[in-house]
Short mmCIF file of all heavy atoms in Angstrom, two decimals:
data_model
loop_
_atom_site.label_atom_id
_atom_site.label_comp_id
_atom_site.label_asym_id
_atom_site.label_seq_id
_atom_site.Cartn_x
_atom_site.Cartn_y
_atom_site.Cartn_z
N LYS V 29 67.81 37.23 133.78
CA LYS V 29 68.84 36.87 132.67
C LYS V 29 68.67 37.86 131.53
O LYS V 29 67.61 37.77 130.85
CB LYS V 29 68.66 35.39 132.31
CG LYS V 29 69.69 35.12 131.16
CD LYS V 29 69.53 33.69 130.65
CE LYS V 29 70.07 32.65 131.69
NZ LYS V 29 70.12 31.32 131.02
N VAL V 30 69.63 38.68 131.19
CA VAL V 30 69.66 39.40 130.02
C VAL V 30 70.99 39.12 129.20
O VAL V 30 71.14 39.64 128.00
CB VAL V 30 69.60 40.96 130.23
CG1 VAL V 30 68.22 41.26 130.78
CG2 VAL V 30 70.61 41.42 131.28
N ALA V 31 71.89 38.39 129.77
CA ALA V 31 73.11 38.03 129.14
C ALA V 31 73.34 36.50 129.33
O ALA V 31 73.17 36.07 130.49
CB ALA V 31 74.28 38.87 129.66
N ILE V 32 73.75 35.79 128.36
CA ILE V 32 74.00 34.41 128.55
C ILE V 32 75.28 34.17 129.31
O ILE V 32 76.14 34.99 129.24
CB ILE V 32 74.03 33.57 127.17
CG1 ILE V 32 75.34 33.88 126.39
CG2 ILE V 32 72.81 33.90 126.36
CD1 ILE V 32 75.51 32.94 125.20
N THR V 33 75.32 33.02 130.03
CA THR V 33 76.42 32.78 130.82
C THR V 33 76.92 31.39 130.47
O THR V 33 76.10 30.45 130.09
CB THR V 33 76.20 32.80 132.39
OG1 THR V 33 75.02 31.79 132.59
CG2 THR V 33 75.72 34.16 132.77
N GLU V 191 64.43 40.71 120.31
CA GLU V 191 64.00 39.41 120.69
C GLU V 191 64.77 38.38 119.95
O GLU V 191 65.22 37.38 120.51
CB GLU V 191 62.54 39.26 120.53
CG GLU V 191 61.63 39.81 121.57
CD GLU V 191 60.20 39.58 121.39
OE1 GLU V 191 59.85 39.04 120.30
OE2 GLU V 191 59.45 39.80 122.32
N ALA V 192 65.05 38.54 118.65
CA ALA V 192 65.77 37.65 117.86
C ALA V 192 67.22 37.36 118.31
O ALA V 192 67.73 36.24 118.34
CB ALA V 192 65.78 37.95 116.39
N VAL V 193 67.86 38.49 118.75
CA VAL V 193 69.18 38.34 119.33
C VAL V 193 69.14 37.60 120.58
O VAL V 193 70.00 36.60 120.88
CB VAL V 193 69.85 39.70 119.53
CG1 VAL V 193 71.14 39.55 120.17
CG2 VAL V 193 69.94 40.42 118.15
N MET V 194 68.18 37.87 121.45
CA MET V 194 68.11 37.11 122.79
C MET V 194 67.83 35.64 122.52
O MET V 194 68.37 34.76 123.25
CB MET V 194 67.01 37.77 123.59
CG MET V 194 67.29 39.16 124.10
SD MET V 194 68.46 39.22 125.37
CE MET V 194 67.57 38.53 126.81
N VAL V 195 66.98 35.30 121.59
CA VAL V 195 66.67 33.96 121.27
C VAL V 195 67.85 33.21 120.78
O VAL V 195 68.24 32.07 121.28
CB VAL V 195 65.53 33.83 120.19
CG1 VAL V 195 65.39 32.35 119.66
CG2 VAL V 195 64.22 34.20 120.85
N ALA V 196 68.67 33.84 119.87
CA ALA V 196 69.85 33.25 119.34
C ALA V 196 70.87 33.01 120.43
O ALA V 196 71.57 31.92 120.52
CB ALA V 196 70.54 34.15 118.26
N GLU V 197 70.99 33.93 121.38
CA GLU V 197 71.96 33.77 122.55
C GLU V 197 71.49 32.62 123.42
O GLU V 197 72.37 31.89 123.94
CB GLU V 197 72.00 35.08 123.32
CG GLU V 197 72.69 36.18 122.46
CD GLU V 197 74.16 35.89 122.38
OE1 GLU V 197 74.55 35.35 121.43
OE2 GLU V 197 74.94 36.39 123.29
N LEU V 198 70.20 32.45 123.67
CA LEU V 198 69.75 31.35 124.53
C LEU V 198 70.07 29.98 123.89
O LEU V 198 70.33 29.09 124.53
CB LEU V 198 68.30 31.53 124.80
CG LEU V 198 67.92 32.76 125.71
CD1 LEU V 198 66.40 32.91 125.80
CD2 LEU V 198 68.47 32.50 127.13
N VAL V 199 69.87 29.88 122.55
CA VAL V 199 70.18 28.60 121.86
C VAL V 199 71.71 28.39 121.94
O VAL V 199 72.13 27.29 122.15
CB VAL V 199 69.64 28.77 120.36
CG1 VAL V 199 70.31 27.53 119.63
CG2 VAL V 199 68.21 28.79 120.34
N ARG V 200 72.49 29.40 121.76
CA ARG V 200 73.94 29.25 121.80
C ARG V 200 74.39 28.87 123.25
O ARG V 200 75.25 27.96 123.36
CB ARG V 200 74.74 30.52 121.40
CG ARG V 200 76.17 30.26 121.06
CD ARG V 200 76.70 31.41 120.15
NE ARG V 200 76.74 32.60 120.84
CZ ARG V 200 77.79 33.10 121.63
NH1 ARG V 200 78.88 32.38 121.61
NH2 ARG V 200 77.71 34.23 122.21
N GLU V 201 73.73 29.34 124.20
CA GLU V 201 74.11 28.99 125.61
C GLU V 201 73.75 27.57 125.82
O GLU V 201 74.55 26.79 126.46
CB GLU V 201 73.34 29.89 126.64
CG GLU V 201 73.53 29.54 128.09
CD GLU V 201 72.74 30.34 129.05
OE1 GLU V 201 71.48 30.50 128.76
OE2 GLU V 201 73.27 30.73 130.09
N ALA V 202 72.64 27.06 125.33
CA ALA V 202 72.28 25.64 125.53
C ALA V 202 73.25 24.74 124.72
O ALA V 202 73.57 23.65 125.22
CB ALA V 202 70.83 25.46 125.08
N ALA V 203 73.63 25.24 123.57
CA ALA V 203 74.56 24.38 122.82
C ALA V 203 76.03 24.29 123.30
O ALA V 203 76.74 23.34 123.07
CB ALA V 203 74.60 24.92 121.34
N LEU V 204 76.41 25.26 124.09
CA LEU V 204 77.69 25.29 124.67
C LEU V 204 77.89 24.45 125.90
O LEU V 204 79.00 24.17 126.28
CB LEU V 204 78.12 26.80 125.06
CG LEU V 204 78.45 27.64 123.87
CD1 LEU V 204 78.70 29.10 124.35
CD2 LEU V 204 79.61 27.15 123.01
N GLU V 205 76.73 23.94 126.46
CA GLU V 205 76.85 23.15 127.76
C GLU V 205 77.50 21.82 127.45
O GLU V 205 77.06 21.07 126.61
CB GLU V 205 75.47 23.01 128.29
CG GLU V 205 74.87 24.19 128.94
CD GLU V 205 75.69 24.73 130.01
OE1 GLU V 205 76.11 23.98 130.87
OE2 GLU V 205 75.93 26.00 130.09
N VAL V 217 75.08 31.41 115.95
CA VAL V 217 73.68 31.10 115.91
C VAL V 217 72.88 32.27 115.41
O VAL V 217 73.07 33.45 115.83
CB VAL V 217 73.10 30.81 117.37
CG1 VAL V 217 71.54 30.46 117.19
CG2 VAL V 217 73.89 29.60 117.95
N VAL V 219 68.87 33.59 114.12
CA VAL V 219 67.49 33.16 114.07
C VAL V 219 66.94 33.49 112.65
O VAL V 219 67.12 34.62 112.21
CB VAL V 219 66.70 34.11 115.14
CG1 VAL V 219 65.25 33.94 114.92
CG2 VAL V 219 67.02 33.67 116.53
N VAL V 264 69.57 20.19 123.39
CA VAL V 264 69.79 21.66 123.23
C VAL V 264 68.45 22.27 123.02
O VAL V 264 68.19 23.34 123.57
CB VAL V 264 70.78 21.88 122.04
CG1 VAL V 264 70.80 23.40 121.65
CG2 VAL V 264 72.17 21.44 122.36
N GLN V 267 66.30 22.41 126.22
CA GLN V 267 66.75 23.45 127.21
C GLN V 267 66.51 24.85 126.75
O GLN V 267 66.06 25.72 127.50
CB GLN V 267 68.29 23.22 127.47
CG GLN V 267 68.86 24.18 128.42
CD GLN V 267 70.31 23.99 128.70
OE1 GLN V 267 70.77 22.91 128.49
NE2 GLN V 267 71.02 25.05 129.01
N ALA V 268 66.78 25.07 125.47
CA ALA V 268 66.60 26.47 124.92
C ALA V 268 65.15 26.76 124.83
O ALA V 268 64.74 27.99 125.13
CB ALA V 268 67.17 26.52 123.51
N ARG V 269 64.34 25.84 124.50
CA ARG V 269 62.86 26.20 124.29
C ARG V 269 62.31 26.68 125.59
O ARG V 269 61.50 27.62 125.64
CB ARG V 269 62.09 24.91 123.86
CG ARG V 269 60.66 25.32 123.51
CD ARG V 269 59.86 24.04 123.04
NE ARG V 269 59.73 23.12 124.11
CZ ARG V 269 60.26 21.93 124.30
NH1 ARG V 269 61.16 21.53 123.32
NH2 ARG V 269 60.08 21.16 125.27
N ARG V 270 62.65 26.05 126.76
CA ARG V 270 62.10 26.57 128.01
C ARG V 270 62.48 28.01 128.33
O ARG V 270 61.67 28.79 128.75
CB ARG V 270 62.68 25.63 129.19
CG ARG V 270 62.09 24.24 129.14
CD ARG V 270 62.41 23.55 130.50
NE ARG V 270 63.88 23.23 130.66
CZ ARG V 270 64.42 22.19 130.20
NH1 ARG V 270 63.74 21.23 129.54
NH2 ARG V 270 65.72 22.00 130.30
N GLU V 271 63.72 28.29 127.97
CA GLU V 271 64.13 29.71 128.27
C GLU V 271 63.47 30.68 127.31
O GLU V 271 63.17 31.75 127.68
CB GLU V 271 65.67 29.76 128.08
CG GLU V 271 66.52 28.94 129.01
CD GLU V 271 66.84 29.65 130.31
OE1 GLU V 271 66.31 30.79 130.52
OE2 GLU V 271 67.60 29.21 131.12
N ILE V 272 63.32 30.25 126.04
CA ILE V 272 62.74 31.06 124.92
C ILE V 272 61.22 31.31 125.33
O ILE V 272 60.69 32.41 125.16
CB ILE V 272 62.94 30.49 123.62
CG1 ILE V 272 64.40 30.48 123.23
CG2 ILE V 272 62.08 31.26 122.50
CD1 ILE V 272 64.71 29.59 122.03
N GLU V 273 60.57 30.29 125.85
CA GLU V 273 59.13 30.42 126.16
C GLU V 273 58.99 31.46 127.35
O GLU V 273 58.06 32.26 127.28
CB GLU V 273 58.58 29.11 126.50
CG GLU V 273 58.33 28.19 125.35
CD GLU V 273 57.73 26.84 125.62
OE1 GLU V 273 57.90 26.41 126.86
OE2 GLU V 273 57.13 26.28 124.72
N ALA V 274 59.94 31.37 128.28
CA ALA V 274 59.85 32.33 129.36
C ALA V 274 60.12 33.78 128.93
O ALA V 274 59.47 34.70 129.37
CB ALA V 274 60.88 31.97 130.44
N LEU V 275 61.04 33.89 127.96
CA LEU V 275 61.41 35.19 127.37
C LEU V 275 60.18 35.79 126.59
O LEU V 275 59.91 36.94 126.72
CB LEU V 275 62.66 35.08 126.47
CG LEU V 275 63.05 36.24 125.64
CD1 LEU V 275 63.50 37.37 126.59
CD2 LEU V 275 63.99 35.91 124.57
N LEU V 276 59.62 34.96 125.71
CA LEU V 276 58.61 35.47 124.79
C LEU V 276 57.18 35.42 125.31
O LEU V 276 56.28 35.99 124.84
CB LEU V 276 58.70 34.73 123.49
CG LEU V 276 60.05 34.74 122.73
CD1 LEU V 276 59.98 33.97 121.42
CD2 LEU V 276 60.42 36.20 122.44
N LEU V 282 60.40 24.97 118.45
CA LEU V 282 61.76 25.36 118.15
C LEU V 282 62.29 24.35 117.06
O LEU V 282 62.52 23.15 117.30
CB LEU V 282 62.59 25.40 119.38
CG LEU V 282 64.08 25.90 119.22
CD1 LEU V 282 64.15 27.25 118.62
CD2 LEU V 282 64.80 25.71 120.58
#
Side-chain angles (χ1 to χ4, degrees):
K29 179 184 284 191
V30 292
I32 73 168
T33 59
E191 285 184 345
V193 173
M194 292 288 286
V195 167
E197 291 290 89
L198 290 172
V199 171
R200 195 159 66 91
E201 179 182 42
L204 287 176
E205 288 300 316
V217 180
V219 173
V264 169
Q267 181 180 332
R269 188 182 68 252
R270 289 192 294 270
E271 298 272 8
I272 294 168
E273 288 181 336
L275 171 71
L276 302 180
L282 183 59

